Amino acid sequence: MREVVMNKKTNLLQLEEHFYQLADVKEPNVFHNLFPYDEIPKIAFNDRIVPHNMPEDIWITDTTFRDGQQSRAPYTTDQIVTIYDYLHKLGGPKGKIKQSEFFLYSKKDRDAVYKCLERGYKFPEVTSWIRASKQDFQLVKDIGLRETGILVSCSDYHIFYKMKMTRREVMNLYLSVIRDCLETGISPRCHLEDITRSDIYGFVIPFCVELMKLMEEYKIPIKVRACDTMGYGVNFPGAVIPRSVPGIIYGLTTHAGVPSELIEWHGHNDFYKAVNNSTTAWLYGASGVNCSLFGIGERTGNTPLEAMVFEYAQLKGTLDGMDTTVITELSEYFEKELGYTQPSRTPFVGSNFNVTRAGIHADGLLKNEEIYNIFDTGKFLNRPPLVSVSNTSGLAGIAHWINTYYHLDKDRWVDKNSELVKMVKVWVDKQYEEGRVTVLTDNELVVEITDCCKKLGIVL
């Protein structure tokens, strides 16, 4: 009989009557009613609503050097250390980017870990991802890490088709591996791969109940990372599990008894839902969301770390010391050092994310940038709003471009009635009358504006 306990969130006595035991099925349940391979996956609803349960303390963890590195050319050791320095600065003095995970397979991987450890930062804490073997556990211990990730695939797609085992067999295997890890004094972080296609109450919850028993036995924290490996998770209230992110997090906290501070959400963006699902995981009880810089990761990528920085600020009403200008510095570093150019319309980092081409929008920006800018991007990202000059920019767009490009003080701003702006507009119109179809480059504009200024006898 389960004990009646006080729910610290609601301050009400709580009794969970159900006990969830392993359903050791003979045939795999791959939810073909939801995931028919020859059709688009289905989102079904049963209208069972679970309550919001956001932890008091939430944070971000980083997988740039693990999942992020699986989808691109490996970083050099120096590049890893530089990016790690940026992550430390971005996370701020409160360490809101709590951890960063690393491979330990090669000498290069281990050299990067040692160099990052030499930095002496409390945050992001260096953690690892290894194969489930005693040799690798010992390697983690020898390096001096206190925690490591371990893959524990949990859907029947993986259990039956990839591992060729039954649920009982694979649970026993996982628990023995995790016990081996605990015996070395290392805290395991269990990566529940493919959780959004798994039998939540027939396998995941019973497995996590056993994990909590091991945690009680060894007095060593065991984390649970809910991995939306294929991006099937949805955040809609009343959606059915296993696709329901609220339902999964509720099950882990309420039925499996996993504390919020030991739950992370790891999302993928296959259906454009990585950011929303990560935010939803926070809202329903996960303290951590696992991300990679700029969303770089397997297939369509992971949850972009920079997106969750701004999600955090919107939910908490504060950045809690995170330095968002570092996001721009990181984007510039990736472009200059790694040759990685952000897609131009990517929020916060793309070249066009706060650039407007429409003349009517430029007119609004010229009068008050709050009208067409999402927030003070100059303050938070060192990127004031811009306009691109084309056939649709109009006088206002040209005026705004001149004021921004030349960093003119407000008392020196030009407006759409300026002779300089009118002269440049005549030149712009001529370009498009002669058949041009592309936007004008900065260099072209500078040459023309310099020539116009000489003619008018003015200096910007």
Side-chain angles (χ1 to χ4, degrees), residues 120-235:
Y121 301 146
K122 183 177 180 181
F123 300 110
E125 177 190 0
V126 175
T127 182
S128 61
W129 190 97
I130 60 169
R131 296 159 297 201
S133 71
K134 290 184 178 181
Q135 292 85 353
D136 282 8
F137 295 143
Q138 191 59 45
L139 179 62
V140 176
K141 188 173 184 178
D142 290 344
I143 291 175
L145 305 182
R146 70 174 187 87
E147 179 185 306
T148 190
I150 303 171
L151 185 64
V152 286
S153 306
C154 61
S155 75
D156 284 355
Y157 287 90
H158 289 257
I159 294 170
F160 282 81
Y161 298 152
K162 185 176 76 173
M163 303 180 74
K164 307 295 184 182
M165 300 175 79
T166 67
R167 291 181 183 179
R168 174 69 66 186
E169 289 169 340
V170 85
M171 180 185 283
N172 289 339
L173 171 65
Y174 292 161
L175 292 174
S176 68
V177 167
I178 292 159
R179 188 179 286 275
D180 286 343
C181 182
L182 293 166
E183 288 287 346
T184 67
I186 301 297
S187 178
R189 184 181 62 252
C190 299
H191 292 209
L192 273 67
E193 183 183 21
D194 205 22
I195 197 168
T196 47
R197 287 194 299 179
S198 67
D199 188 337
I200 301 298
Y201 288 99
F203 181 79
V204 172
I205 300 301
F207 174 56
C208 289
V209 167
E210 295 303 315
L211 292 180
M212 294 301 99
K213 291 178 183 177
L214 282 177
M215 185 168 74
E216 177 63 26
E217 178 183 347
Y218 282 88
K219 308 301 179 186
I220 295 174
I222 299 177
K223 286 184 180 175
V224 171
R225 179 179 289 181
C227 300
D228 186 15
T229 307
M230 303 298 290
Y232 286 122
V234 295
N235 68 329

Side-chain angles (χ1 to χ4, degrees), residues 271-286:
F271 290 89
Y272 280 107
K273 297 184 186 296
V275 173
N276 279 342
N277 286 340
S278 295
T279 306
T280 299
W282 268 340
L283 288 172
Y284 286 89

